[in-house]
Each structure stands twice: as structure tokens, then as C-alpha cells.
């Protein structure tokens, strides 16, 4: 395998879309799980454990382990392995929940 | 005077009673069917809230308990997550405002210096409150604690002072001789003592029935949601006016028709950042299931009062059984027709606040000493005569 | 949303989709819900050549066909829907893309399986994934989980995924035994690994697995002996270490290397540690039935080791002791997609009959199709599955004798 993490495919590729991870601009395929788009961009660490600070990424890939959760378009705790990527999707590692903020 | 006491039940009342007995040098055996805090004391919220206590004997007992808590961490040499951060009751309607004004007035007369805040003042003190709130009460003296830690610390301190603790041992019978209770039978094993204290909460009537004593303690289920960890934003106890109404209401009233599961918000935040979001008040026997309708109703009341909570994840829900009594007061004292038998149970949702105080009183009564306060309002005889 | 329907199906994998089709054919209105946005479940990752028919098994294509067929029969498929509660009346509470309550007359739980965790120092580092995740990312999303990957676990699924990654262009650093621990038990024993592979020797769906399995089966016994003695066998470009185990994963914030140790035939670690450079580790520790919803629904659960652990008590027609609650697929015991499809058909027929509808397939034929699928299945995840099914039949008879069955 050379270059990126995305395999060549004989199927027609989905449309490319732009999205952000921690405000960094990335490109993925429309409709693929966010976790796949992140992996294809070489992003392994999706968040840090809130008590130990250790990095965490995809583990089970089927929504069971919740390790790949992130904030997606302002909603916390979204499992990126189950959530399709769209044009402009904003993904962030840090839970920015603030009760006082409107 | 009793030198040898058996305490049945390892919840907050049982462990507290055992601790105070052991501390006085009494030979005490605590017998628990499962584990420490395995029942109601392990399935409740964190509040030690005096504002919500009915003025009168309950508030007096609450004040007694609150004083104990102030120094309890030092006394037990344990971290109980005790925090005196104050408490507030949220007021949403004019009807609630009227009822709570009246409650506050009576509490003030009883010596609690409770303030009534405007909606604006309240939102300043507690960010995130809904814009529709008419106001809140505020009392700086309300506190909170980790109930599991209190029970375990009480049990450990009792043990250090010489108490024997038998867990996984279910008491199935009270032993009597010549009209007097002289011990218990658990797992086929008989243990004898000068006095037996039954502190089994909602399960108390089941044991007392075996010797023909009926007492009107009924399980009243409460469901609680647990949120994901979020940054600290609740530093005190929060109750909604609807919670107070559900707590003090009489059966069959208008509130019951409107809110059959008795849903009213109680909110506190644990040290790890999870919110405990309660709760309901339901008479459904010993059923401990959580139900989607009530979970949804609790969630909706939380979001109504804290709109931003709509974006927060609920990670689980659990239910506990409060030991309800018809007049809202616990039973603390001797069973008159059975010398040697004592009951300390029926605190409904006030067990955490009142448990240590109850334990201290019960310890005195069980060895024939003066209770240290007026226990007549808590006598079992008020139901039996 | 507050919708009524005749049948609700939880899980849009092979069992759920086929059951939905069968129930819809009987004239029932059916809604299928699944957390994943697309139907197919574990079918989506499956890609192999069936050694019996020599046909290609393309799980994605089959998923599409099943979903299309279901759609044509009027089945509603709700993706991105998490079921968070099951009521006593079998109502389902949904959150996610659709929010609300689904009120069916009958409910099929086809919730599938999850992978067992096999903790090893460093297993939480980004880059350590379950074998199922590796399979999905490789075959469905066409994304590499790493450039150089170590696979820990010598079993049919792990070898298949290793092969698939190898074919896709990933440098597979090797397939070794999983870490030795109290939870891995027999999985970490070379002898057991060989014995498990032997079980699938004739049916192995790809070259690597077939070769490894034949070795293990003793048809090439001198080689099998040497495999155990010399540890390393190289098949189809992938090294299999029958006597090597993963003991730790290292790296600063991500996987950078894996530490291996030799294993004696009885499973004990021997010799010095050695470290290899990898950027991803894929762990295979077997599947277990996802029983959460069955438990919430109040279905009695029984422990049957041969089926994969705790499973809902169920009868020969996939009925449970709760009226109009049915189960199918991996939830009833860990088996392959062909068995799940046959079970789906059977469950669909049972549901239709429970709601008073006639079905084209007789109960006997539906049950026979399940056993046929079992014997012809290229994958056998649980070596003693037949014994497990027999144990369940026995437990069901005992329950009926006690009068547990409500029907």
C-alpha cells in the first residue's frame, strides 16, 4: 500500500465532501462513517479520556464500545463509527457542553 | 441496660445505629441480607436538604442530622464527599409561588433563614435556568453527601469500634421467649441479644409481620437518570416546585391526576461530573424497573427547567424504593407489645439526611437511655392505636 | 413519532431483513430498526468465495438485494435508530434519527453479536481495533486501519480478515495468538487454536484459512507438527505464529510496536520478549450475543457456552416464553450469515402464524432449512454449535414442563 489510507476501489467513489476535525479542514466521502473519513485522513485519536487524559480512537466499529464518540455539529457523545459524513460536518474531540451558553 | 444488640439492615439507618452503639461500647452485631447500602441507601440522590422538610418534628430531626454531618468526615475518618453548597427550589407557576411562599414563611419561623430570589437573581446564581422561572428559594445551609460512602464509613467505623458485621445473611425470623424478643434467626443460625433493632426500610413490615406486628411502611419507587460527565455547573441541591408538591401531596388529589408518576425534578452533580436527575414517586410495590414514560417525563422536566440539557446524554437510569409512611414521618422507637424489639425505618426520601441522627437516637433507645430529643412524633403507637 | 405496526424487527442484519421480508409476504406491516445507517449488519463486511458452490459471497450485494426486496414489499427500514427501551407491551422507544415510540403487535429481536474484549497492556491506544472493525473498514469503507498490522487471534474470522487486509495492500506483520489471560483461556493455547481450525478444514472460504486449517487437521501432519515446533507458518504471504502470542502494545499516544513472546504448546509463555514495529493491532477474541434488549424485554436468559454465552431462552420456532416476542440470528447463538438468513425466514413465518397469517413455508421446512444451512455453512464460529442447539431444545422442554411458556 502506498500513500494514503484509502484503498483503490473498483466501485464508483462517493462524492468528496469537506469537513472539519478540531477545526482542521479535511476531505472525506459523502455518506461514509465519520470514523472512516478520519482514518482515511490518518486521524487515529478521536478524543482523550476525560479522567486519565489518554488518547482514544475507534475500537469496535459497530457502535457498541462508544470509544469513537465525539462532538458532531455541536452534539456530544456521537458515535463516529455510526454517523454518516456530510458536507461541512464539524467534528470535535472535546466535550464543549456548557449549560450557561445559549 | 442492654449490653448486646442486634441491628438488622445495612442501609444508612442500620449502619449508623450500629456505629453509635459500638462507639458506646455495646456489643453489636449488624446482620444484612445482601451488602452494605444494597437497598434504598444505594439507590437515591445526594441531598441533605432541610428546606424540603416539613416544619415541625421532621425539620427538628433534620437540623439534628445536619449538625452531625458537619463533623462526620472527621469523626469517621473518611471522605464522604460532604459539601455544604446550599440548595434551591425552582418556582415555575403562580400556584407554586403561593405554596412555596407559605412553606418559606413557616421555615423562617422555625429558624431557617431561607431567601426568595427573583428569576433574574436565581439565573445569576445558577446559570442555565430556564427563562420562564418566576423565582427560586435559596438556603446556604443545604448540603450534599455521597450516601454509599456514608454507609460504608459508618459500617467500617462500627467495625473498628468492635461491631461484628454479617453480610449475605438474611434474617428470616425474630426469636421470642416469654413475650420478649430475644434474638433473630438468619440462614438457619440463631443469634441472641438483649435488644433487636429492625432497620430494614421498605422491607421492615415483612420481618415484623412474622411476629404479628403490622406497620404502614409502603415502597414508593423513585426513578433517577444519570447523565454523561459534564463540566461542573451544579454546586448545590436543586428541587423543582413540582417535586415538593409530589412529596407532600395527599393521595387522590388534583396533582395525582395531573402527574400520576409524581414526577418532579431533583438535580445534583457527582464528583465525577455526572448529574443525578430525579425523580418520580410511584406506588408499584417492590417493582424496581425503570419505565420509558417516566424516564421521558423526568428528562422533559429537566429540559424545561434547564433548556441546555437537551443536548446532554443520559447514560443510564435506575430506581430505588423509598419507605413511605402515611404521615411522612419515620417510625423510630420501641415496639410496645414486644419488649426488646425496636424499629427505625420509614424515612421515605429523607433517609440520607436523617439516617445518622436516627442512628444516634436509636442507639440510645436500644440500651434504655434517653433518646436525646422528643421522639413521641415518631412512635409506632401513632399507627397502632 | 408514535407509530403502530404489525411487526417490529430490531436489527437489519441478515436475520432481521429476511424475517421482515417473510412477515411482509404474509401481508403484515413491518418496521425494521437498526443503529447503523445502512441495512446489512455484519453481512456488510463479508466477502469470500464459497468453497462448496465456488460462488462469490458478497455481503454488501446481498444486503442491498435484501433491503430492496424488503422495500418492494412495503417494509419500512429505519436506520440510525437506537432502541433504548422495550415496554411490557413490546413497544420500542427510539432515539437517534427517528425519535419516538413504535407499537408493534409482535417483536423480533435480531440484535446480533458484539466482540469479546481481550485486554492486553496498551489495548486502549488508538490503532488497536476489534477484528470486526478491521473487516468493516477494509471491505466496506475501503480504508486501512494501519499500514503495518498485527492480527492477534488465530481463528477463522481473524485469518479471513488478515487475508482480506493483505489482498487490499496492507502489510500484515503476522497473525499470532491472543494475549494469555484469564479471559482468553483456550483462545491463547496453540493446541486449541489448531484444533479449532481443524474443525473448518473442508469448508474454509479462503486460501489462507483453508491451508492453515488443513495443516491443523493433520492431512499434512508433518507440517502441522513443524508448525507447532517451529512456530511460524507462512501461507499466501501471511505469517501465522501458532506458538507466538501478543503480550503488549506500545506507543506514545498511538500504536508504534507490539511485543510478542513464544508460547509452549500448553499455552504458557516461554523465552524472551521481542518487539515488532506495527502501527495497528487487530484483536480477535470471538463474538457473544448482544442480549441487552432481550433482557430489558424480560425474556428469561440461559447460559449455553456452546452458543457463545448468555442467550435468551427460545423454542424450536424461535419463539420465547414471552408472548409474541421472537429472536433470531446471532442473538440465539453465534453462527454464520447463512444460518442467520434461514433463522430469519423461520422467525418471519413463526411471527406470521402467531398473528394468524398463513405462510407458504411450513414450520417443519423452515426448521429443516436452518439445520441445512448449519451443516453447509463455510464458517463455524462455535465448534460445538450442534450440542449448544440441543442444550437449548432441552432447556425449552424443561421450561414448558415447568409451565413457563405463556403461549
Amino acid at each position: 500500500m502506498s500513500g494514503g489510507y484509502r484503498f483503490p476501489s473498483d466501485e464508483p467513489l462517493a462524492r468528496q465532501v469537506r469537513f472539519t476535525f478540531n477545526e482542521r479542514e479535511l476531505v472525506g466521502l459523502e455518506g461514509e462513517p465519520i470514523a472512516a473519513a478520519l482514518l482515511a485522513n490518518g486521524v487515529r485519536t478521536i478524543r482523550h479520556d476525560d479522567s486519565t487524559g489518554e488518547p482514544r480512537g475507534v475500537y469496535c466499529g459497530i457502535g457498541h464500545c462508544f470509544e469513537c464518540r465525539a462532538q458532531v455539529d455541536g452534539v456530544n457523545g456521537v458515535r463516529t463509527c455510526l454517523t454518516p459524513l456530510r458536507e461541512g460536518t464539524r467534528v470535535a474531540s472535546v466535550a464543549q457542553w456548557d449549560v450557561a451558553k445559549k | 441496660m442492654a449490653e448486646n444488640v442486634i441491628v438488622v439492615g445495612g442501609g444508612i439507618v442500620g449502619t449508623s445505629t450500629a456505629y453509635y452503639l459500638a462507639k458506646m461500647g455495646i456489643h453489636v452485631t449488624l446482620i444484612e441480607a445482601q451488602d452494605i447500602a444494597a437497598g434504598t441507601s444505594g439507590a437515591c440522590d445526594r441531598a441533605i436538604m432541610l428546606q424540603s422538610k416539613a416544619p415541625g418534628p421532621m425539620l427538628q430531626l433534620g437540623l439534628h442530622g445536619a449538625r452531625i454531618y458537619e463533623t462526620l468526615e472527621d469523626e469517621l475518618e473518611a471522605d464522604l464527599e460532604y459539601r455544604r453548597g446550599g440548595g434551591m427550589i425552582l418556582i415555575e407557576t403562580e400556584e407554586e409561588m403561593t405554596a412555596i411562599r407559605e412553606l418559606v414563611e413557616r421555615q423562617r419561623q422555625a429558624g431557617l433563614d431561607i431567601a426568595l430570589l427573583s428569576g433574574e437573581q436565581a439565573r445569576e446564581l445558577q446559570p442555565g435556568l430556564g427563562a420562564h422561572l418566576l423565582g427560586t428559594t435559596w438556603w446556604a445551609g443545604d448540603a450534599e453527601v455521597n450516601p454509599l460512602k456514608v454507609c460504608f464509613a459508618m459500617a467500617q467505623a462500627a467495625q473498628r469500634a468492635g461491631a461484628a458485621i454479617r453480610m449475605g445473611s438474611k434474617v428470616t425470623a425474630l426469636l421470642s421467649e416469654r413475650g420478649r424478643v430475644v434474638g433473630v434467626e438468619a440462614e438457619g443460625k440463631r443469634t441472641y441479644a438483649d435488644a433487636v433493632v429492625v432497620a430494614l426500610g421498605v422491607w421492615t413490615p415483612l420481618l415484623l409481620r412474622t411476629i404479628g406486628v403490622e406497620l404502614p411502611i409502603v415502597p414508593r419507587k423513585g426513578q433517577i437518570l444519570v447523565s454523561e460527565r459534564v463540566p461542573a455547573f451544579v454546586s448545590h441541591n436543586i428541587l423543582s416546585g413540582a417535586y415538593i408538591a409530589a412529596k407532600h401531596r395527599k393521595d387522590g388529589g388534583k396533582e395525582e391526576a395531573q402527574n400520576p408518576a409524581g414526577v418532579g425534578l431533583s438535580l445534583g452533580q457527582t464528583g465525577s461530573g455526572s448529574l443525578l436527575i430525579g425523580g418520580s414517586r410511584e406506588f408499584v410495590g417492590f417493582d424496581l424497573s425503570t419505565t420509558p414514560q417516566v424516564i421521558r417525563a423526568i428528562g422533559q422536566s429537566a429540559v424545561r427547567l434547564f433548556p441546555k440539557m437537551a443536548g446532554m446524554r443520559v447514560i443510564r437510569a435506575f430506581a430505588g424504593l423509598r419507605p413511605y409512611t402515611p404521615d411522612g414521618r419515620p417510625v423510630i422507637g420501641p415496639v410496645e407489645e414486644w419488649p426488646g424489639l425496636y424499629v427505625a425505618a420509614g424515612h421515605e426520601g429523607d433517609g440520607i439526611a436523617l439516617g445518622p441522627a436516627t442512628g444516634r437516637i436509636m442507639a440510645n433507645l436500644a440500651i434504655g437511655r434517653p433518646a436525646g430529643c422528643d421522639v413521641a412524633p415518631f412512635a409506632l403507637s401513632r399507627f397502632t392505636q | 413519532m408514535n407509530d403502530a405496526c404489525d411487526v417490529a424487527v430490531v436489527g437489519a442484519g441478515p436475520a432481521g431483513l429476511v424475517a421482515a421480508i417473510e412477515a411482509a409476504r404474509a401481508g403484515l406491516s413491518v418496521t425494521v430498526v437498526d443503529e447503523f445507517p445502512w441495512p446489512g449488519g455484519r453481512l456488510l463486511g463479508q466477502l469470500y468465495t464459497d468453497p462448496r458452490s465456488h460462488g462469490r459471497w458478497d455481503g454488501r450485494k446481498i444486503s442491498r438485494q435484501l433491503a430492496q426486496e424488503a422495500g418492494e414489499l412495503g417494509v419500512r427500514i429505519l436506520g440510525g435508530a437506537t432502541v433504548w427501551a422495550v415496554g411490557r407491551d413490546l413497544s420500542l422507544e427510539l432515539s437517534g434519527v427517528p425519535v419516538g415510540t413504535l407499537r408493534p403487535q409482535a417483536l423480533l429481536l435480531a440484535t446480533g453479536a458484539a466482540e469479546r474484549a481481550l485486554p492486553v497492556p496498551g489495548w486502549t491506544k488508538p490503532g488497536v481495533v476489534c477484528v470486526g472493525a478491521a473487516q468493516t473498514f477494509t471491505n466496506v469503507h475501503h480504508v486501512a486501519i494501519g499500514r503495518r498490522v498485527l492480527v492477534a487471534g488465530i481463528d477463522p474470522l481473524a485469518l479471513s480478515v488478515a487475508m482480506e487486509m493483505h489482498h487490499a495492500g496492507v502489510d500484515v506483520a503476522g497473525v499470532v495468538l491472543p494475549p494469555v489471560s484469564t479471559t482468553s483461556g483456550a483462545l491463547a493455547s496453540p493446541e486449541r487454536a489448531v484444533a479449532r481450525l481443524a474443525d473448518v478444514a473442508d469448508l474454509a472460504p479462503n486460501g489462507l484459512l483453508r491451508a492453515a486449517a488443513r495443516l491443523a487437521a493433520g492431512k499434512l501432519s508433518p507440517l502441522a507438527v513443524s508448525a507447532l515446533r517451529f512456530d511460524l507458518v507462512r501461507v499466501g504471504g501471511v505469517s501465522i505464529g501458532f506458538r507466538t502470542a501478543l503480550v503488549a502494545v506500545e506507543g506514545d499516544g498511538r500504536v508504534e510496536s507490539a511485543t510478542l513472546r513464544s508460547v509452549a504448546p500448553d499455552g504458557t509463555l516461554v523465552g524472551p520478549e521481542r518487539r515488532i514495529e506495527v502501527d495497528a493491532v487487530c484483536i480477535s477474541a470471538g463474538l457473544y450475543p448482544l442480549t441487552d434488549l432481550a433482557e430489558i424485554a424480560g425474556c428469561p436468559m440461559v447460559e449455553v457456552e456452546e452458543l457463545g454465552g448468555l442467550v435468551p431462552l427460545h423454542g424450536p420456532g424461535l419463539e420465547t416464553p414471552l408472548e409474541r416476542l421472537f429472536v433470531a440470528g446471532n442473538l440465539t447463538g453465534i453462527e454464520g450469515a447463512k444460518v442467520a438468513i434461514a433463522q430469519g425466514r423461520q422467525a418471519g413465518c413463526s411471527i406470521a402464524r402467531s398473528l394468524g397469517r398463513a405462510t407458504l413455508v411450513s414450520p417443519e421446512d423452515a426448521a429443516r432449512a436452518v439445520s441445512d444451512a448449519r451443516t453447509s455453512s463455510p464458517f463455524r464460529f462455535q465448534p460445538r454449535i450442534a450440542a449448544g442447539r440441543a442444550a437449548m431444545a432441552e432447556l425449552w422442554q424443561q421450561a414448558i414442563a415447568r409451565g413457563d411458556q405463556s403461549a
Side-chain angles (χ1 to χ4, degrees), chain A residues 27-86:
Chain A
V27 174
L29 301 180
E30 183 169 45
E32 71 179 338
I34 292 168
L38 289 171
L39 262 185
N41 280 281
V43 174
R44 292 287 188 76
T45 298
I46 296 179
R47 65 185 180 93
H48 288 84
D49 184 85
D50 51 8
S51 49
T52 64
E54 288 173 0
R56 290 285 192 273
V58 170
Y59 178 67
C60 81
I62 60 162
H64 193 66
C65 73
F66 280 72
E67 290 286 39
C68 70
R69 64 189 188 268
Q71 190 190 60
V72 175
D73 291 333
V75 180
N76 280 342
V78 174
R79 288 168 285 177
T80 57
C81 71
L82 294 183
T83 309
L85 185 72
R86 306 280 171 229

Side-chain angles (χ1 to χ4, degrees), chain B residues 10-352:
Chain B
I12 193 158
V13 175
T15 55
S16 299
T17 305
Y19 165 68
Y20 288 111
L21 282 166
K23 197 179 148 191
M24 290 189 288
I26 303 300
H27 184 266
V28 55
T29 305
L30 186 148
I31 307 178
E32 156 62 42
Q34 296 177 51
D35 201 341
I36 299 301
T40 304
S41 299
C44 56
D45 63 26
R46 305 164 52 81
I48 308 171
M49 203 158 181
L50 295 187
Q51 279 190 67
S52 61
K53 306 282 171 281
M58 287 299 277
L59 184 59
Q60 290 312 309
L61 192 58
L63 286 164
H64 182 44
R67 275 193 300 276
I68 293 176
Y69 269 116
E70 283 171 20
T71 55
L72 196 59
E73 288 187 318
D74 288 342
E75 183 176 343
L76 300 181
E77 296 168 25
D79 168 28
L80 307 176
E81 291 175 28
Y82 174 77
R83 187 167 60 186
R84 202 167 172 194
M88 53 169 49
I89 298 170
L90 313 182
I91 304 163
E92 288 183 276
T93 63
E94 287 298 341
E95 209 176 344
E96 280 174 15
M97 181 63 94
T98 310
I100 285 171
R101 261 185 213 286
E102 191 223 346
L103 177 68
V104 165
E105 191 45 48
R106 291 201 293 149
Q107 300 284 37
R108 279 181 181 161
Q109 282 165 14
L112 288 197
D113 179 23
I114 299 174
L116 260 179
L117 306 182
S118 69
E120 204 170 309
Q121 289 169 318
R123 279 183 287 276
E124 186 91 357
L125 189 66
Q126 175 56 64
L129 281 175
H132 71 291
L133 281 183
L134 302 180
T136 69
T137 67
W138 172 252
W139 190 55
D142 284 324
E144 62 188 310
V145 78
N146 181 329
L148 287 153
K149 287 193 172 176
V150 177
C151 294
F152 278 92
M154 284 286 191
Q156 281 158 0
Q159 235 167 359
R160 285 198 299 271
I165 297 183
R166 295 208 324 244
M167 291 188 291
S169 185
K170 186 177 177 180
V171 171
T172 46
L174 295 164
L175 306 174
S176 62
E177 272 171 25
R178 291 186 296 275
R180 193 183 160 83
V181 167
V182 294
V184 302
E185 184 172 320
E187 311 293 321
K189 183 182 170 189
R190 293 175 169 212
T191 308
Y192 294 89
D194 303 320
V196 174
V197 177
V198 179
L200 284 172
V202 292
W203 297 276
T204 303
L206 305 180
L207 182 59
L208 291 196
R209 199 163 293 154
T210 62
I211 53 162
V213 176
E214 291 292 332
L215 78 174
I217 294 176
V218 181
R220 196 178 195 186
K221 181 164 86 174
Q223 300 188 39
I224 295 183
L225 318 186
V226 183
S227 82
E228 64 180 320
R229 294 172 176 188
V230 294
F233 86 99
V234 179
S235 57
H236 38 261
N237 298 314
I238 296 175
L239 295 181
S240 70
Y243 182 99
I244 303 292
K247 179 174 175 169
H248 295 297
R249 79 186 181 191
K250 298 279 172 274
D251 292 330
K254 184 176 132 210
E255 291 100 345
E256 190 172 357
Q258 285 170 350
N259 182 6
V263 171
L265 184 73
S266 74
L267 193 65
Q269 191 163 14
T270 66
S272 67
S274 285
L275 294 174
L276 292 181
I277 311 166
S280 62
R281 284 176 196 267
E282 307 162 71
F283 291 112
V284 286
F286 287 90
D287 170 52
L288 266 173
S289 60
T290 55
T291 54
Q293 296 77 6
V294 171
I295 289 173
R296 189 176 284 122
I298 293 170
Q300 282 166 347
S301 79
V303 170
R304 193 178 70 239
L305 292 157
F306 286 90
K308 190 74 185 179
M309 277 172 68
M312 192 188 286
R313 299 271 163 176
V314 170
I315 58 171
R316 64 189 182 93
F318 64 88
L321 300 173
R322 302 181 190 88
Y324 162 92
T325 64
D327 61 4
R329 297 201 300 266
V331 175
I332 305 171
V335 177
E336 276 166 19
E337 64 264 48
W338 286 105
L341 181 61
Y342 298 82
V343 175
H347 296 67
E348 191 164 356
D350 297 325
I352 301 309

Side-chain angles (χ1 to χ4, degrees), chain C residues 54-377:
Chain C
H54 299 287
R56 200 168 156 74
W57 179 268
D58 182 343
R60 286 178 89 187
K61 203 166 136 195
I62 296 165
S63 301
R64 272 198 296 271
Q65 285 165 351
L66 291 176
Q68 192 186 336
E69 190 179 352
E72 283 162 4
L73 287 161
V75 173
R76 180 168 65 156
I77 302 178
L78 299 176
T82 301
V83 177
W84 59 270
V86 183
R88 300 244 162 98
D89 59 352
L90 303 180
S91 59
L92 301 178
E93 303 296 336
L94 306 181
S95 75
V97 178
V99 174
T101 308
L102 199 58
R103 299 180 192 285
Q105 295 297 311
L107 174 62
L108 173 66
L109 295 178
T111 45
E115 286 186 54
R116 289 185 195 283
L118 240 177
V120 55
W123 76 306
T124 59
K125 290 182 194 301
V128 179
V129 300
C130 285
V131 70
Q135 186 176 44
T136 307
F137 281 101
T138 306
N139 294 344
V140 184
H141 310 312
H142 301 295
V143 173
I145 61 161
R147 295 181 201 278
R148 186 170 156 79
V149 180
L150 177 75
V151 177
I154 303 181
D155 60 74
L157 184 60
L159 288 169
S160 301
V161 174
M163 186 77 158
E164 288 154 11
M165 287 194 290
H166 174 68
H167 282 163
V170 173
D171 178 4
V172 178
V175 183
V176 299
L177 291 166
V180 180
S181 72
T182 49
T183 50
S184 63
L187 293 176
S189 143
E191 284 174 344
R192 294 293 198 89
V194 166
R196 286 192 63 191
L197 287 179
D199 192 52
V200 296
D202 297 330
L203 300 164
N206 70 42
L208 170 60
L209 182 50
R210 201 152 49 241
R214 281 200 186 131
L215 250 171
K219 287 180 184 166
L220 302 164
S221 56
L223 257 178
V225 171
S226 71
L228 284 180
R229 188 186 299 152
F230 298 116
D231 182 14
L232 210 66
V233 179
R234 200 168 167 83
V235 187
V238 175
S239 304
I240 308 174
F242 279 101
R243 283 191 46 196
T244 304
L246 171 71
V247 294
V249 181
E250 304 86 17
D252 182 12
R254 63 193 171 87
V255 176
E256 290 171 342
S257 64
T259 297
L260 308 176
R261 261 186 99 184
S262 293
V263 187
D266 66 356
T268 52
L269 291 169
V270 290
E273 292 186 342
R274 54 190 189 278
R275 191 172 278 196
I276 59 166
E277 276 188 29
V278 290
D279 66 350
V281 172
C282 163
I283 296 182
S284 177
L287 298 165
Y288 68 94
L290 261 179
T291 57
D292 311 49
L293 289 182
E295 290 181 65
I296 291 171
C299 186
M301 307 300 290
V302 289
E303 182 82 33
V304 182
E305 197 198 327
E306 295 91 338
L307 298 178
L310 197 68
V311 286
L313 179 65
H314 59 272
L318 299 174
E319 65 276 30
T320 71
L322 301 188
E323 210 169 342
R324 294 206 289 276
L325 176 71
F326 297 81
V327 287
N330 269 342
L331 172 61
T332 71
I334 304 301
E335 296 199 66
K338 288 188 173 175
V339 173
I341 287 172
Q343 281 192 321
R345 184 150 296 127
Q346 190 189 12
C349 289
S350 295
I351 290 168
R353 280 190 297 274
S354 80
L355 295 178
R357 302 294 175 117
T359 56
L360 290 173
V361 184
S362 73
E364 295 73 26
D365 286 349
R368 197 170 306 121
V370 174
S371 343
D372 289 351
R374 184 163 297 135
T375 47
S376 72
S377 194

Side-chain angles (χ1 to χ4, degrees), chain C residues 1-29:
Chain C
M1 183 183 122
N2 188 354
D3 292 358
C5 59
D6 293 327
V7 183
V9 176
V10 183
L17 286 177
V18 171
I21 288 169
E22 213 53 44
R25 275 193 190 135
L28 298 167
S29 64

